[in-house]
Amino acid sequence: MAGTRVKARGESALAERFAVFAECLLTGVWIAVASLGVVTYPAAFAAGARHLRRRTAHEDGGWREFVSDFRTAVRGGWLAGLAGWAAGAAVWVDVQAARAGIPGGPLVGAVGVVALIGLVVTGLRAAAVWQPGARWRTLLAAAGRRTVLDPAGSFLIVGGLAVVALSAWFAAPLAIAVLGAVAAAAVAVEERYRHR
């Protein structure tokens, strides 16, 4: 039953932390599978973040709850995913202009890349606080403000994204599992911001 508390297991702190880490890796695989729909990645991260919030609160929840959350989140989340791909295409055009030697191209390309990173962080922060019934537009607007007002938290998420990129460079399958760690980082950053 989702939402019910699980009895304390009497685990050591190390065992509990390792269990959360293992859950993050498993959640990364779930996020990767749910993101195969190309525009479904915001909903996949939202469902993964909600699963990890349940796990750290010692509440029941597994694959079925993840799928249920994903189905709910994808209803409006696919538009956010489409907008993300449009932003990525715009940055690609900027970078191509910079490479072509157009005057001012390097500056435009750099601004585009920084803006894209900001949008990705905003999307992850929005997904980290998603709940059923939440509107993506509202979540993204509030997450955009938090991205600017909490630069330390935003840089932590950028660090998580860098780990995914390095993992993909080192071994592509490793990057899939690390996606769950990025979702966990976004959840932790949002919790940190909420308790400031």
Side-chain angles (χ1 to χ4, degrees):
M1 234 173 24
T4 59
R5 282 229 183 260
V6 175
K7 293 181 182 175
R9 296 183 212 147
E11 298 175 333
S12 71
L14 180 63
E16 176 64 21
R17 289 181 184 131
F18 186 75
V20 170
F21 176 69
E23 197 71 30
C24 287
L25 298 180
L26 176 62
T27 303
V29 174
W30 293 353
I31 289 170
V33 169
S35 295
L36 290 176
V38 182
V39 296
T40 58
Y41 62 90
F45 270 97
R50 187 150 190 256
H51 171 72
L52 292 172
R53 286 195 315 266
R54 276 194 301 266
R55 174 65 176 93
T56 57
H58 300 287
E59 296 175 359
D60 286 341
W63 173 249
R64 289 182 184 171
E65 288 78 13
F66 175 87
V67 170
S68 175
D69 286 341
F70 174 73
R71 286 181 180 158
T72 303
V74 82
R75 290 186 191 123
W78 72 271
L79 285 171
L82 189 61
W85 282 110
V91 170
W92 183 81
V93 169
D94 285 347
V95 169
Q96 294 308 313
R99 294 175 93 192
I102 294 174
L107 177 63
V108 170
V111 168
V113 169
V114 169
L116 182 63
I117 291 169
L119 289 173
V120 170
V121 170
T122 297
L124 286 169
R125 290 186 85 140
V129 297
W130 176 86
Q131 294 286 343
R135 294 178 44 91
W136 279 96
R137 180 176 286 185
T138 305
L139 289 173
L140 289 167
R145 287 189 293 278
R146 290 191 307 274
T147 298
V148 173
L149 296 174
D150 181 24
S154 298
F155 282 122
L156 287 171
I157 295 173
V158 169
L161 293 170
V163 168
V164 170
L166 289 171
S167 298
W169 177 72
F170 181 69
L174 183 60
I176 291 171
V178 175
L179 288 174
V182 172
V187 168
V189 163
E190 286 301 312
E191 277 297 308
R192 176 187 153 275
Y193 183 81
R194 194 168 62 87
H195 292 294
R196 282 176 36 173

